[in-house]
Amino acid sequence: MTAFRAQRGRLAAGGAALAGIGLLLGGAFLGLAWEAAASWEGALAAFDGYLLRVTRFTLWQAGLSTILSVGPAILVARALARHPRFWGREFILQLFAVPLALPAIVAALGVLALYGRSGYFAPLFAATSGDMWPGIYGLSGILIAHVFFNLPLATRLCLASLETIPADQWRLSAQLGMGAFASFRFIEWPVLRASLPGIAGLVFMLCATSFTIVLTLGGGPGATTLEVAIYQALRFDFDPARAIALTLVQVALTGTIVLALARLGASTMGDASLPVASRRALFPGAGEKVLNTTLILLALLFVAGPMLATVVAGLAADLVRLAGERPVHQATLTSFILASLAAVLCLMVSGALIMTRRALELARGARIPGFLERMSDSGAAMVLIVPPIVIGAGWFILLLHFGDVFAFAPAMVVAVNAVMAMPFAVRVIRPAYDAASARHEKLCLALGISGWNRFRLVDWPALRRPAAVGFAFAMALSLGDLGVIALFGSDDVRTLPYLLLQRMGSYRTADAAGIALFLAILCLGLMFIAGRLGKSRT
Amino acid sequence: MTESNKAGAGVKLEGLLFSYPGGAEMHFDLSISASDRVALMGPSGSGKSTLLNLIAGFELPSAGRVMIDGRDVTGSPPHHRPVSMIFQENNLFAHLTVGQNVGLGRSPSLRLSAQDRAAVTDALARTGLGGKEKRLPNELSGGERQRVALARVLVRERPVLLLDEPFASLGPALRDEMLDLIAGLSDEQAMTILMATHDPGDAERLSGTLVFVEEGRIADFGRTQAFLSGWESPAFNSYLGARTGSR
Amino acid sequence: MRTTTTIPVVAFGLFAAALPAAAQDTLTVYTYESFTTEWGPGPAIEEAFEAECDCDLEFVSVADGVALLNRVRLEGENTEADIVLGLDTNLINDARETGLFAPHGISLDNIDVPGGFEDEIFVPFDYGYFAFVYDTEAIDTPPESLTELVEAGSELGIAIQDPRTSTPGLGLLLWIKAVFGEDAADAWSELRDNVVAVTPGWSESYGLFTRGEVPMVLSYTTSPAYHRIDEDTDRYRAAAFSEGHYLQIEVAGRTVKGQDNALAGEFLTFMTGPGFQDVIPETNWMFPAGRTSEPLNPAFDDLVEPAETLLFSPEEVAENRNAWVDEWLSIMSQ
C-alpha cells in the first residue's frame, strides 16, 4: 500500500505537468483551428506565392547557413584535434561555447556593429573595394549571424566526435607514416561521417527556426523566414488567416526535421561534452601547422569579432544615463521577474516529469514502457517541434476572442519560456534524480518515507545542485529570449530584449549597444554560474 | 624493406629524461642487444608504456638519446623509426577490411603494388587468417584481430617489435598460442622484441631477458629465468607477490 | 523549500507595482513612435495640454500609423486608448469600419489642409508630401522623377517602410500606383534592386539614413527643414519628382471608450488650436493642419513644391489596400 501511495503522488505530479504542457500546446492549436474554421477560405488563399517564397527562403538560408557553418567547422575541429596542445586551446574552446549563451539579439547587434554599413569594418571594406560598403542587411547578414552562432557549435560537436578516436589510433597513424590527407581519410573522416548528419541536421533546424536574427538583420520581405512572416502576419497585417497557413508549414517543416534527427539518433540540443584532450602522438608537417594555425585564428577572429564589437560599442554608450533611465529599470525588473518565474515553473514541470518517469519505470519492472512513461520521457523533447512563435501565434489568435491580448503577455512569456527550457533542465536533473532513486528507493519503502517528506528529506538534497544549474540555465535562456515577447510585448510589458529591439528601431543605436552589453553580461553570468555549479558536482 | 633489415637491431636508451605535465620525472638507461626478446614488467603506472612510447617516438624525451641499430632516432618521427608496435586494442580501423588494415603497413595511403598485395596475402596466410581478407574487424574474434595486427607487423618488416600488453584481453590458451606465433614469426625476421606485460607466464614463454620497471626507472635487468625463480630481485619478488596476493 | 514558494508571490507583488497605476483623470493617447520620442512633438504637447486640463496625458506608442490601427483592432473594445493619433486619410475607411471610433463632435473650422477635409469621426492635425530625401554628400545628381528613381538600379540604395505597418510605406505604395497605374507591379520589381532595407516604421528608416547606412530614404518634403533649422545644414535635401508628390493628411480620432472621457473631446479641440499646432512644424516636421500663433520658420518656404498633388480617395484605398499590399509583398519577397 505504501508503495502504491508513493507512486500515486508522483504520478499525479507528472500528470499535472503533462496536462499543463498539453494545455499550452493545445491552446495554441485550438486558437489556430478556431480561426481556421472561421476563415478557412482566407487560410487557403494564403497558400500563395508569398508563402511559397517565404518557405523557399527559409530553407535556402538554412541550407546555406548549414553549409557555411559545418564545412569550416570540420576543418577547424580537425585543426584543433590535431594540435591538442595548441596555445590557448582551452580558451578558444571556452570562447566557442559563448555564442550558445548569448541572446540572439545581442549577437545581431554585434554583427551589425562590426560589418554594418557604418560598422567598424566599413571603412576597411570601402577602402579595399573602392566603393561604398553596401552593408549586410538581408541574406548576407543572416548568414553571418547564423555562422557566428553555429560555426562554434558545430566545431565543438565535431571536435567531441574526433575526441572519441582512441589514442592508439593516432599512434598507429603516426607509426604508419600517414600524412594529413591519409589520416583524415582513414581516421578522422569515418568518425566525422557518422556524426555529421546529426550535426548538420541540428544546425539546419536552428537556422530554419531562427527568429530574432532574421527579424533584426533580414531587412525586408525579400529575406523573411516563416517565423518572421508569422510574426508580421499577426503584428503588421492583422491577418490571422495568413498566420495559420504559415504556421502549418512551419510545424510541418520543423516536425520533419526533428523526426529526421530522432531517426539519426542525434541530439536536438547541441551540447558537446569535451573531455580534456588526451595526449596524442601527432606530428603535423610545417605546412599543415601553418594551415591549421591560420584556420584556428580565422575562426577565432570571426567568433570573437562580434563579441568584442558588442563590448566596445556597449562601453561607448552613455551607460550612466541608461542606468538611470526608468524604462531600463522597469525592463530589467520585468525581465528578472518573468525569467525567474519561467525558471521556477520550468523546474516544477521538469521535476514532475522526471519523478513520474522514474516511478513508472520502477512500477513496470521489465515490461515495455507505457504511453505515459514514454510521454514523460521523450515527450519533453517533443516540444521542440513547436517553435515558441507558433505557440505564441496560436494563443495570440485565441486570446483575441477574450479581450486585450497584450494583457496576457506576462503569462505567455513565462509559460512558453518555461516549456522551452524544459528539455535542458530535464537533462541536467534526471541523471541525479534517477541515481538518487536507485540508491534510496528500497530504503524509502522500508521506512515508509513518501510524498512530501520523501521529497524534502531524500530527493531534494540530491537535487539541489542540479536544480540550481537548471534554474540558472532556464533563467538565462528566458532572459535573452525575443520570441513570444515580440508578439505580446507592448509599452506596458517590456523585457530587456524587447526594449533593445525598440531602441534599435528608433535609431538609438548607442542605447541599444549599452543595453546589449548589459543583457550579455547578465546571460553569460548566469550561464557561468550554471557551468560552475554543474562542474563542481562530482 | 630490404633484406639487410632481417638482421635484427639493438635498442639503446642513453640517459632518457621524460615527464608528463605535473608528473614526476622518469629516467631510463637501457641497452638491449639485437634479436633479443625482452619482457617489461612492473606495477601499473611505473612507466612501461611510456618506455615503449619513447622508443616508438610517440613521446619525445626532454633529454637523452634513443639509439636503434646504432642510429640516433631521438628526433625522428615514428614512421621513420625501424619499429612496429601492437597495442592492447584499437590496432585496426573498424571501417577498413582486414586486407586494407594489413595493406596500410605497406602504404599509408593504400596505394598497393601487386607485390604489396602478394605480401599481404602471404602475411595473412602465415598468421592463420587466409581467406579472411575481405572481412571487417568486427566480424573477427579478439584473437583474430590481434593476428591481423601481427600480419601488418610482418609486412612492415621493421627489425624492432614493441608489444604493449597485447593479449591482456585474451584467454590463457589463446595467449599462449599468440605468443608462440609471435616467437615463430619474429624468428624469421630476427626481430628484437620488447613486450610490456603483467603476466609472468607471458614473460616466461616469450622472453629471454626481463626488465623490471619501477617508479619511472629501470629497477633491475637480467635473465627472465633468474627473475622468475626468485633469486634475482627482492623488489621484483615483492611485486609478483603483491600481484598474486591481490588476485 | 519555503523560498521557492515565496519567490513567485513576492515577484507577482513587485510586478503589479511595476505596472503603471491607473490614475483618475487620465487621457490615454495611442500614437506612432516618432511622435513620442524626446525630440518629437509628444513631450511639448503633453506639457501644454496637462497645464490646460489639470490631468495626466499618457502616450502609448507603436512602430507606425498602420501598426497603430492594427493595435487598436487587436485590442478591440478592451483598448485603453481614448484617442488614436496618427492614422492618415488612407486608413480612415478601415478605421471607421472597426466600429471602435466615435464622432468627434467638434468644429473643423480651424482646419486648413490641401483639398479640404470633412469627416464626422476623424480630425486632421498635420499634413505633408511624401518625398525621397537624399544626402548630398553621397548623391550628386538625384533622380528627378519617380520613373528615374525606379530605373536607377542598385547603384542608388534606398530605405523604405513596410506598407503593412507604416503610413509612409503605404503612401509610397499609393504614390507608385498613382504614377504607374497598371504598371505599378513592374515598377516595384525594378525598384526592388534599390531597396536596401524595408523597415516597419519611419523612424528606423530615417535612422539608417542619418547614420549613413543608406544615401536616400522615403520621408517628406518637410524633412530637410529639420536639418536646416536644428542642425543648420543643407546637406540633406528632398528630391522633387516631376510626376508630383503624394499627399498625406494625418488624423486623430476618439474611440468609443474615449467617448466617456470628457478629456478626449477637450484634447481634440486643443489639437486644432495653436497650443498643439505651434509644436507640430518643428517637432513632427510636417505642415500644421490648423492655425499657428506665428508664421512658420522661413525654412519651410524653401522646400520642394509638388508639381502636382496626388491623392486617392479613402474609399478607393479601402477597396484596394489589401490586394495592393499583397501584390507588393509578393513582389518584394522574390
Side-chain angles (χ1 to χ4, degrees), chain B residues 9-246:
Chain B
V11 176
K12 205 166 173 203
L13 308 181
E14 298 176 356
L16 274 195
L17 294 182
F18 175 81
S19 59
Y20 290 104
E25 184 158 87
M26 303 185 185
H27 180 191
F28 297 115
D29 270 294
L30 183 65
S31 181
I32 290 166
S33 46
S35 303
D36 195 0
R37 298 211 285 253
V38 181
L40 291 176
M41 296 195 72
S44 294
S46 59
K48 301 187 297 289
S49 291
T50 308
L51 181 58
L52 293 180
N53 285 340
L54 283 163
I55 297 172
F58 301 139
E59 301 287 4
L60 298 177
S62 52
R65 295 201 300 170
V66 178
M67 311 283 293
I68 300 178
D69 204 12
R71 202 157 57 87
D72 183 353
V73 297
T74 317
S76 309
H79 64 282
H80 284 164
R81 302 185 183 206
V83 168
S84 289
M85 186 154 171
I86 298 180
F87 312 104
Q88 189 176 329
E89 49 196 17
N90 297 318
N91 283 297
L92 306 184
F93 297 106
H95 55 286
L96 299 183
T97 64
V98 165
Q100 286 174 313
N101 266 296
V102 176
L104 280 173
R106 281 295 170 105
S107 159
S109 58
L110 275 185
R111 277 190 282 273
L112 300 177
S113 65
Q115 200 186 349
D116 291 333
R117 279 183 231 284
V120 169
T121 310
D122 178 51
L124 285 172
R126 282 196 288 156
T127 47
L129 293 166
K132 298 193 171 169
E133 219 167 322
K134 297 273 179 246
R135 301 277 180 92
L136 285 172
N138 60 11
E139 300 169 58
L140 303 180
S141 71
E144 283 176 319
R145 284 203 282 269
Q146 295 301 68
R147 284 166 188 260
V148 178
L150 189 57
R152 187 168 58 214
V153 169
L154 293 180
V155 302
R156 293 194 81 213
E157 299 181 356
R158 305 278 164 125
V160 177
L161 172 60
L162 308 175
L163 303 159
D164 193 358
E165 302 191 37
F167 313 123
S169 49
L170 303 185
L174 213 49
R175 291 162 88 112
D176 289 350
E177 199 186 313
M178 287 298 295
L179 288 168
D180 294 344
L181 185 62
I182 288 180
L185 293 173
S186 66
D187 266 351
E188 292 175 18
Q189 295 185 13
M191 284 181 190
T192 311
I193 296 181
L194 276 90
M195 174 175 73
T197 180
H198 276 297
D199 190 324
D202 287 2
E204 187 172 23
R205 197 163 189 108
L206 186 75
S207 69
T209 307
L210 194 144
V211 172
F212 180 49
V213 186
E214 202 175 37
E215 290 175 359
R217 288 171 311 103
I218 309 292
D220 218 335
F221 177 96
R223 302 275 317 139
T224 305
Q225 279 309 327
F227 269 98
L228 294 177
S229 51
W231 19 273
E232 173 80 25
S233 160
F236 182 75
N237 290 346
S238 74
Y239 157 69
L240 272 193
R243 271 185 56 76
T244 33
S246 71

Side-chain angles (χ1 to χ4, degrees), chain C residues 101-172:
Chain C
F101 289 89
H104 54 67
I106 63 163
S107 150
L108 296 186
D109 290 348
N110 281 342
I111 297 300
D112 179 22
V113 294
F117 187 86
E118 281 293 333
D119 195 88
E120 287 210 327
I121 293 180
F122 296 101
V123 184
F125 63 91
D126 68 12
Y127 70 93
Y129 299 93
F130 295 120
F132 280 90
V133 176
Y134 66 99
D135 179 354
T136 52
E137 287 180 13
I139 296 177
D140 296 331
T141 46
E144 289 178 4
S145 65
L146 204 49
T147 316
E148 266 188 50
L149 171 71
V150 164
E151 287 167 357
S154 58
E155 291 292 290
L156 186 61
I158 58 172
I160 61 170
Q161 294 101 56
D162 196 318
R164 290 174 296 170
T165 42
S166 152
T167 52
L170 181 59
L172 178 63

Side-chain angles (χ1 to χ4, degrees), chain A residues 53 117-118 219 236 403 505 507, chain C residues 70 78 164 198 203-204 213 330:
Chain A
R53 277 185 289 275
R117 194 157 179 150
S118 54
F236 286 19
Y507 65 96
Chain C
N70 288 337
N78 300 290
R164 290 174 296 170
V198 182
S203 40
E204 280 147 295
E213 302 229 354
S330 167

